[in-house]
Amino acid sequence: MSGRNLQAGDAGREQGAGRSATVELRHVTKAFGDVAPIQHLDLEVRDGEFLVILGPSGSGKSTLLRIIAGLDHPSDGQVLIDGRDVTNVPARDRGCGFVFQSYALFPHLTVLGNIAYGLRRRGTPRKEAEARAAEVAARLNLTELLHRRPRQLSGGQRQRVALGRVLARQPRVFLFDEPLSSLDAQLRTQMRTELVTLHRQLQTTSIFVTHDQVEAMTMGDRVAVLHDGRLQQLGSPLDLYERPSNVFVARFVGSPPINLFPAAFHDGVFRIDGSIVKGPRTAARDVLCGLRPEFTRLRAAGAADAQPADLWLTGRLKLVERLGPEAFAYVEVADDTVVCRVDNSIRLEPGEAVEVGLDLSHASWFDADEGTRLES
């Protein structure tokens, strides 16, 4: 790890310690030659909130975090922390604590030494630094591990040590760069809970970068969705799920992903698979109908169904994915695959002719060409 990263991750001033701060990005662009991973981005992070930046690999998430931290300088635009322009302020003077994906622990130092490192680097007397490090370790359930070295720790324990090293500095803003990506599924779930609990205790502004939508939906007060360096949508996890601003957000948020049905506009009406449906009032052109798997029905072809639907489509069952109390059925309809959430007691077999029912009262409508959301 470079000395620059160590300085930025572990150094910082006491001014403002123990308080949170707002973070604002104004028209931020970052270009590397002809490539611009961040383009004219505006974003405001509220004082004390847990904001998740979500997006696929290459969307500019980590670059954005490094710009906030001061590890990278924007090609254009401003970074403000608590209203103060810090665009040209060194990383060590911004009051940010950076938790790296790789943990960045010193293998030759004990847990106590790693947590106290940033304090000692700033000149805090050894006894005071170690006393504060011990307090942080107790909060993170690391007291019994204080004299172990990183190689003697599990992945989750190393992650808590990395968090403790930043926490000991009492930063005003926590920056997390995909810190859970290298953990196994069970440990990832545990650490999600621990981080959210810790944030509620400290109420320190936190910005958490991830490509994992489950992390975003379960941890964030709000979620900022990034794609190709541009902000696609900013809102609560429920807003993103129920009212996605465009087709990209609709597809990226939600697992399994949203179903999209082409709805052709002709002679003043919308048709899906040839059947007339009630489409958006704000459009008179071809659109896409987005419907989450839970707003579909499934039945054997020709069977009666007590639950009505606005439209039934014929298809053939490809697969049933059973997940405890619920299941997801994948149905081939024309040249596409439709996903339905069904009860795990379903007895239909792959290859059977089936019908998929659509509850259009829960549909999201999108422009077929531009992919933007249309009000219904």
Side-chain angles (χ1 to χ4, degrees):
M1 184 176 180
S2 70
R4 185 185 182 196
N5 280 0
L6 287 175
Q7 184 181 48
D10 296 305
R13 294 187 175 180
E14 288 290 341
Q15 294 179 359
R19 295 190 293 116
S20 58
T22 59
V23 177
E24 185 179 358
L25 305 176
R26 294 180 180 173
H27 315 302
V28 168
T29 294
K30 179 63 178 178
F32 299 96
D34 295 333
V35 179
I38 301 293
Q39 303 175 46
H40 310 293
L41 192 141
D42 293 299
L43 180 65
E44 185 172 349
V45 186
R46 298 166 181 163
D47 190 338
E49 88 168 318
F50 197 115
L51 179 78
V52 176
I53 299 176
L54 173 68
S57 298
S59 60
K61 306 183 302 297
S62 293
T63 299
L64 185 60
L65 205 66
R66 292 176 64 84
I67 288 173
I68 296 171
L71 298 176
D72 284 337
H73 194 274
S75 305
D76 192 19
Q78 294 175 291
V79 180
L80 291 83
I81 296 180
D82 246 7
R84 175 194 175 204
D85 188 344
V86 297
T87 310
N88 297 309
V89 173
R92 63 179 178 272
D93 298 330
R94 294 193 181 194
C96 296
F98 204 118
V99 180
F100 295 94
Q101 181 178 353
S102 61
Y103 310 147
L105 301 179
F106 294 99
H108 64 287
L109 294 181
T110 63
V111 168
L112 183 65
N114 269 285
I115 295 177
Y117 175 83
L119 299 174
R120 293 286 295 138
R121 188 179 176 89
R122 280 206 316 277
T124 304
R126 178 180 296 276
K127 287 187 177 180
E128 181 182 342
E130 291 185 349
R132 191 187 302 180
E135 291 176 4
V136 170
R139 178 177 290 176
L140 297 173
N141 296 319
L142 293 169
T143 299
E144 295 181 358
L145 307 175
L146 284 177
H147 300 293
R148 293 190 186 181
R149 287 179 168 75
R151 66 176 180 274
Q152 299 171 298
L153 304 176
S154 68
Q157 290 167 340
R158 287 195 292 270
Q159 178 62 77
R160 278 184 280 162
V161 174
L163 179 61
R165 186 175 60 186
V166 173
L167 186 60
R169 289 179 37 233
Q170 298 178 306
R172 303 180 67 188
V173 180
F174 277 106
L175 305 174
F176 298 90
D177 189 9
E178 303 207 45
L180 310 183
S181 61
S182 60
L183 304 179
D184 62 51
Q186 182 176 354
L187 191 52
R188 212 161 43 235
T189 300
Q190 176 187 335
M191 288 303 299
R192 285 203 308 262
T193 303
E194 290 185 11
L195 284 175
V196 170
T197 301
L198 185 62
H199 174 260
R200 287 173 179 167
Q201 293 172 352
L202 300 176
Q203 289 298 301
T204 302
T205 306
S206 299
I207 305 174
F208 186 101
V209 159
T210 183
H211 65 274
D212 187 325
Q213 60 164 295
V214 174
E215 289 179 6
M217 301 297 279
T218 56
M219 299 178 71
D221 296 325
R222 291 190 301 162
V223 179
V225 181
L226 233 59
H227 181 51
D228 288 340
R230 296 183 182 275
L231 181 65
Q232 303 295 311
Q233 187 170 356
L234 173 64
S236 71
L238 191 60
D239 285 340
L240 268 59
Y241 188 79
E242 293 187 341
R243 295 181 56 80
S245 62
N246 55 44
V247 168
F248 174 81
V249 176
R251 284 174 167 163
F252 194 72
V253 174
S255 180
I258 198 169
N259 298 299
L260 291 172
F261 304 95
F265 185 79
H266 185 67
D267 290 339
V269 296
F270 293 97
R271 285 181 171 87
I272 295 178
D273 196 33
S275 298
I276 295 177
V277 297
K278 183 180 178 181
R281 293 171 297 174
T282 55
R285 55 193 180 276
D286 291 355
V287 298
L288 293 172
C289 172
L291 206 58
R292 297 290 181 187
E294 58 266 33
F295 300 123
T296 63
R297 319 266 190 251
L298 184 67
R299 68 186 184 188
D305 196 310
Q307 290 184 305
D310 297 302
L311 174 65
W312 289 96
L313 305 176
T314 59
R316 192 164 298 277
L317 184 62
K318 296 171 60 177
L319 171 71
V320 176
E321 187 178 56
R322 301 183 187 277
L323 302 171
E326 66 179 6
F328 290 98
Y330 294 77
V331 182
E332 185 177 358
V333 176
D335 295 325
D336 207 352
T337 298
V338 177
V339 185
C340 309
R341 190 173 74 180
V342 296
D343 190 271
N344 201 24
S345 62
I346 184 174
R347 291 295 176 261
L348 297 174
E349 296 294 333
E352 283 192 49
V354 294
E355 295 177 343
V356 174
L358 310 185
D359 180 358
L360 298 182
S361 64
H362 294 279
S364 290
W365 300 92
F366 306 96
D367 185 280
D369 294 324
E370 298 180 1
T372 52
R373 183 181 184 85
L374 300 168
E375 294 305 320
S376 57

